[in-house]
Amino acid sequence: MGDGRSQHVMPESMMTRQAGRLGGIASPDLDALALPLPQDLPRTEEQGAEAGLMR
């Protein structure tokens, strides 16, 4: 099962990607701030690399 690190990586990656997407919006509304979109999900290889699972 591991130490759960990979369980923290995906939400953190999603928030980072969402923040980058919303950074281009002058005044995002509450829905935009609260609702992650499919493009905010990290790709599988990004998850593995960030969790230290890939070399």
Side-chain angles (χ1 to χ4, degrees):
M1 281 232 127
D3 62 7
R5 169 141 171 78
S6 62
Q7 300 302 315
H8 296 276
V9 171
M10 186 170 58
E12 290 172 1
S13 294
M14 285 180 65
M15 287 186 288
T16 300
R17 293 171 65 100
Q18 182 183 27
R21 177 175 55 81
L22 294 175
I25 301 173
S27 296
D29 61 12
L30 289 177
D31 287 336
L33 295 170
L35 182 65
L37 298 179
Q39 63 260 34
D40 299 328
L41 285 169
R43 294 186 305 269
T44 304
E45 59 272 8
E46 288 176 359
Q47 287 177 359
E50 290 173 1
L53 301 174
M54 299 177 76
R55 296 175 198 248

